[in-house]
Every structure is written in structure tokens, then in C-alpha cells.
């Protein structure tokens, strides 16, 4: 038992104070060692020997990693395009592998004249503002029962974005909507389709940031594909 020296002794003699401090530090060391030993004894007694404890920890880590690891969605396609209409889940829930998309027509309007070009022939110049600068806007459209979902709202947002960026589309929203409706009719699409509508500032004479070097009208492209919407829910961590 440590006996604290009287106050008068602590104040008058530094030697007595040093002795008291050394005794306190010694008792703290002994207490810490005793607590550590008791903790290790309890762990080994309940969980087994140190080697068993280590193996159990490794097993627990592997089990948890398997439970939390991402799982591939069902029915994943082995190849991007197959000979028949297969549906394999891709990144972000997008669907690839539908053979019908090999023969689709793509809407292109680069000179105020709409064209419906086969997939293999649809090309944009490397001098296009979208390629050089990423200068453009886009909208994603869904087709249900032969009609685009909320087409007016999508076109309103598209035209507002182009106005903000000072990109003059060159045709009215009604004309553009008619062209997109013709696109899905030519591709014989009814439902389960997704269309990406893109508008860039158009082709440039030379790679340069300023719009003064643009040749003329903007580039308008729409790619509509058979791409049904998939809802994929990640499995619960408790599932094994």
C-alpha cells in the first residue's frame, strides 16, 4: 500500500515527492500487466489456443468478404452480340447482347436534313465539337407502347440547355419529335427501347475552344436500341 507523504513534507522536500511518484508509477505498471494477462487468459480459454484463434479470425474475414462481395446479375450474356436475341445485364443495369440492335437505323442531322443511317455507316467527324471538347447536351428517352415517355418535358429541358450554352439547334421541338417518332417506326420499335438523343455544337474547322471556328449547323444524333429496363436488387449481406 502506498502511503502519501504529508503536505508539509511534499512542499518542503523534493526527494520525498520523487519517491511518492516512483511508487505510483510502479503500481500502475503492475496493474496494467495484471490486466493484460487476465485479458489474454480469458481470450485463450474461451476461443482456444493462439493458432486456433488466428485461424478463426481468418475464417471470419473470408466469410464476411464473401457475403459482402458484389454478385453478378442473373442471366449474364457471354458475348456482346449473339446470333439470337439474348439479354445480358451490363454496367449500371444497361442491357447488351440483343441481336436486333445490329440492324438498327440511327438518326443523324448534321446539315438541317434528317437522315436515317444504318448502324455500320453512322459516323461523326473527329473535328466535331462533341469529340474535341465534349461540347454538347443529351437526353435519355424511354419508349412505351410506341410513345416516348414525357417527350415534351425531355425536349423542353434539351432546348433550355442548348439555349444556355448558345447552341442553335436549327429546328423546332415539333420537327425533332416527328423525326424521332419516324426513327422508332422505321426500326419497328414498340416498347422496351431506350433512345439517346445528343446535340453538339457541330463540326469545327480546326481544334479550338472558341465557337468562332465552327463550320455551321450543330450535330444531332439519336440512337434508339432494344434495351428493356431491368430492376436489379443487390442481395442481402445475410444471404450466403
Amino acid at each position: 500500500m502506498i502511503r502519501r507523504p504529508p503536505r508539509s513534507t511534499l512542499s518542503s522536500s523534493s526527494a520525498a515527492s520523487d519517491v511518492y511518484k516512483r511508487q505510483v508509477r510502479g503500481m500502475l505498471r503492475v496493474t496494467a500487466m495484471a490486466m493484460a494477462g487476465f485479458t489474454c487468459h480469458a481470450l485463450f480459454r474461451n476461443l482456444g489456443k493462439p493458432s486456433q484463434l488466428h485461424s478463426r479470425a481468418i475464417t471470419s474475414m473470408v466469410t464476411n468478404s464473401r457475403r459482402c462481395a458484389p454478385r453478378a446479375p442473373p442471366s449474364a450474356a457471354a458475348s456482346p452480340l449473339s446470333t439470337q436475341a439474348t439479354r445480358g445485364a451490363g454496367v449500371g443495369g444497361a442491357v447488351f447482347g440483343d441481336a436486333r440492335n445490329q440492324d438498327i437505323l440511327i438518326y443523324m442531322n448534321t446539315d438541317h436534313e434528317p437522315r436515317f443511317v444504318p448502324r455500320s455507316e453512322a459516323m461523326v467527324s473527329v473535328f466535331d465539337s462533341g469529340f474535341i471538347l465534349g461540347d454538347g447536351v443529351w437526353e435519355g428517352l424511354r419508349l412505351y407502347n410506341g410513345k416516348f415517355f414525357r417527350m415534351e418535358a425531355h425536349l423542353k429541358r434539351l432546348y433550355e440547355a442548348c439555349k444556355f450554352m448558345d447552341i442553335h439547334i436549327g429546328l423546332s421541338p415539333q420537327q425533332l419529335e416527328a423525326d424521332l417518332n419516324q426513327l422508332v417506326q422505321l426500326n419497328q420499335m414498340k416498347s422496351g427501347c431506350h433512345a439517346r438523343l445528343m446535340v453538339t455544337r457541330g463540326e469545327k474547322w480546326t481544334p479550338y475552344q472558341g465557337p468562332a471556328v465552327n463550320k455551321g449547323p450543330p450535330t444531332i444524333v439519336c440512337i434508339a436500341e432494344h434495351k428493356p429496363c431491368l430492376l436489379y436488387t443487390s442481395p442481402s449481406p445475410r444471404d450466403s
Side-chain angles (χ1 to χ4, degrees), residues 35-45:
M35 293 179 63
F38 176 78
T39 303
C40 293
H41 175 72
L43 287 174
F44 296 153
R45 182 184 61 184

Side-chain angles (χ1 to χ4, degrees), residues 89-119:
V91 179
V95 179
F96 307 101
D98 197 320
R100 294 174 294 178
N101 293 329
Q102 298 184 69
D103 301 324
I104 60 172
L105 297 176
I106 295 177
Y107 172 78
M108 300 191 67
N109 191 331
T110 56
D111 51 5
H112 296 314
E113 182 179 350
R115 295 178 294 128
F116 301 94
V117 185
R119 182 188 186 113

Side-chain angles (χ1 to χ4, degrees), residues 46-182:
N46 295 331
L47 299 178
K49 298 179 181 180
S51 59
Q52 296 176 351
L53 177 64
H54 180 72
S55 62
R56 291 187 182 184
I58 295 297
T59 304
S60 177
M61 292 171 59
V62 173
T63 303
N64 292 333
S65 63
R66 288 177 179 174
R67 289 178 178 176
C68 299
R71 302 185 181 185
S75 304
S79 59
L81 292 175
S82 58
T83 56
Q84 56 183 352
T86 59
R87 295 172 181 174
V91 179
V95 179
F96 307 101
D98 197 320
R100 294 174 294 178
N101 293 329
Q102 298 184 69
D103 301 324
I104 60 172
L105 297 176
I106 295 177
Y107 172 78
M108 300 191 67
N109 191 331
T110 56
D111 51 5
H112 296 314
E113 182 179 350
R115 295 178 294 128
F116 301 94
V117 185
R119 182 188 186 113
S120 59
E121 301 176 12
M123 300 180 184
V124 176
S125 172
V126 295
F127 287 93
D128 189 86
S129 300
F131 181 78
I132 295 178
L133 300 172
D135 187 7
V137 297
W138 61 271
E139 286 286 335
L141 307 171
R142 277 278 171 193
L143 186 70
Y144 300 104
N145 298 322
K147 295 183 179 181
F148 284 107
F149 178 70
R150 302 194 65 181
M151 170 64 92
E152 294 183 2
H154 280 289
L155 291 182
K156 180 180 179 181
R157 183 168 61 180
L158 178 75
Y159 275 78
E160 287 178 351
C162 289
K163 181 179 179 181
F164 177 81
M165 298 181 63
D166 199 22
I167 297 178
H168 303 284
I169 296 183
L171 70 164
S172 66
Q174 293 75 18
Q175 291 175 322
L176 182 56
E177 182 178 0
D179 291 344
L180 299 185
N181 289 331
Q182 185 178 359

Side-chain angles (χ1 to χ4, degrees), residues 94-95 101 104 138-144 148 154 183-184 187 189-197 222-229:
V95 179
N101 293 329
I104 60 172
W138 61 271
E139 286 286 335
L141 307 171
R142 277 278 171 193
L143 186 70
Y144 300 104
F148 284 107
H154 280 289
L183 172 66
V184 295
N187 285 326
M189 296 176 174
K190 296 295 183 182
S191 294
C193 301
H194 178 270
R196 174 64 63 92
L197 175 60
C222 185
I223 304 175
E225 292 182 309
H226 297 279
K227 193 179 296 182
C229 181

